[in-house]
Amino acid sequence: MTTGVRRRMGVDERRAQLIRVALELFSQRSPDEVSIDEIAAAAGISRPLVYHYFPGKRSLYEAALKRAADELAGRFLEAHEGPLGARLIRVMRRFFDFVEEHGPGFAALIRGGPAGGSSTANALVDGVRQAAYEQIVAHLGVPQPPARLELVVRSWVSLAESTALLWLDGKRIPRGELELQLVHDFAALAAVSAAYDQEMAGIMLRVFAQEPADGPFGELLSRLSVLAPAAPAVPAQRLPASSQPLR
């Protein structure tokens, strides 16, 4: 944390410093609990000087939030190389890196920020979600995603958010297990959707065909196979027409 700053900074440099200091403090505690006096002390300047660069804590918080949102959105960037399951594992690791490094700040970001949030904060969160959605769709190689695919991807992004928030409350499940489970969740959501729709089935069959047996998706099949002997068989004649296997 920057303290005891004596040299004179330019306007842009000082603003960047205040955003950096505020983001660090907001990452340690809820923004509601951080005062302008604390931010000023951490930056080595006076309280009135903070107000010279930002009209209030809300504007400073939103500037720090934008920086955090940009960084979080960047965690979903991944080279389009190798099987999808391995790519998603790397994305989840970077995502949880951010969550662990910025716990209170991440929670405030997702929940809308201090004092019930603001339109700016909500727009920034929506921007992160949209960036994550676009990245995942791009990895699937679908220029015009059908409605069911959009539902799967957006639901999965929301699930990753809620899982991370719950994990922060005590971290009772090993982080690595949750990262892998979320990748399995994506495959499961997509597979269920594929069972209802021919277009989704085609997309996912193409994806699964490129997955190695020892990859995350292959591991999911191994885990599910343990349940297969215990699952009651349903005679085909008792299944409704809409539940018949896709051909």
Side-chain angles (χ1 to χ4, degrees):
M1 191 177 299
T2 304
T3 57
V5 175
R6 292 290 182 265
R7 71 182 181 84
R8 185 178 182 84
M9 292 185 179
V11 173
D12 291 341
E13 188 180 5
R14 178 66 77 185
R15 284 178 60 88
Q17 183 219 16
L18 286 170
I19 290 170
R20 183 174 64 253
V21 167
L23 183 58
E24 184 173 348
L25 289 170
F26 294 151
S27 294
Q28 296 167 359
R29 306 203 317 276
S30 168
D32 283 321
E33 300 173 359
V34 178
S35 69
I36 287 291
D37 287 333
E38 287 181 87
I39 295 170
I45 62 176
S46 66
R47 175 189 175 98
L49 193 54
V50 175
Y51 284 111
H52 175 74
Y53 293 98
F54 294 94
K57 189 171 78 169
R58 167 76 67 181
S59 62
L60 177 53
Y61 171 76
E62 289 178 349
L65 195 65
K66 184 179 186 311
R67 176 172 166 177
D70 290 343
E71 182 181 345
L72 181 54
R75 301 296 174 107
F76 285 88
L77 294 173
E78 174 65 31
H80 289 209
E81 300 173 357
L84 179 64
R87 299 182 207 175
L88 292 181
I89 281 287
R90 291 192 291 270
V91 168
M92 285 296 96
R93 285 173 183 160
R94 289 195 299 272
F95 174 70
F96 272 89
D97 280 345
F98 182 93
V99 172
E100 192 159 31
E101 292 163 9
H102 306 284
F106 172 79
L109 171 67
I110 298 303
R111 289 169 177 155
S118 68
S119 58
T120 300
N122 292 335
L124 288 170
V125 174
D126 288 342
V128 172
R129 291 168 178 154
Q130 181 63 23
Y133 166 77
E134 291 174 359
Q135 283 296 316
I136 301 306
V137 169
H139 281 287
L140 291 167
V142 185
Q144 298 295 328
R148 288 185 189 273
L149 180 59
E150 180 175 357
L151 179 62
V152 164
V153 176
R154 292 195 186 280
S155 296
W156 182 71
V157 170
S158 178
L159 177 62
E161 286 180 10
S162 58
T163 298
L165 285 174
L166 289 170
W167 177 76
L168 282 171
D169 185 16
K171 300 181 180 179
R172 292 169 291 173
I173 300 175
R175 173 183 147 176
E177 290 183 13
L178 279 185
E179 292 168 357
L180 179 59
Q181 182 178 317
L182 279 166
V183 175
H184 288 169
D185 287 336
F186 178 85
L189 285 169
V192 170
S193 184
Y196 284 83
D197 183 78
Q198 289 281 3
E199 188 174 8
M200 274 295 296
I203 293 170
M204 296 317 300
L205 285 172
R206 173 174 54 80
V207 169
F208 291 150
Q210 300 169 359
E211 293 292 317
D214 60 351
F217 293 168
E219 181 180 345
L220 174 60
L221 292 176
S222 297
R223 288 176 180 269
L224 292 176
S225 66
V226 176
L227 302 176
V234 180
Q237 62 269 22
R238 292 176 56 187
L239 291 172
S242 61
S243 298
Q244 297 294 333
L246 292 170
R247 302 183 185 280

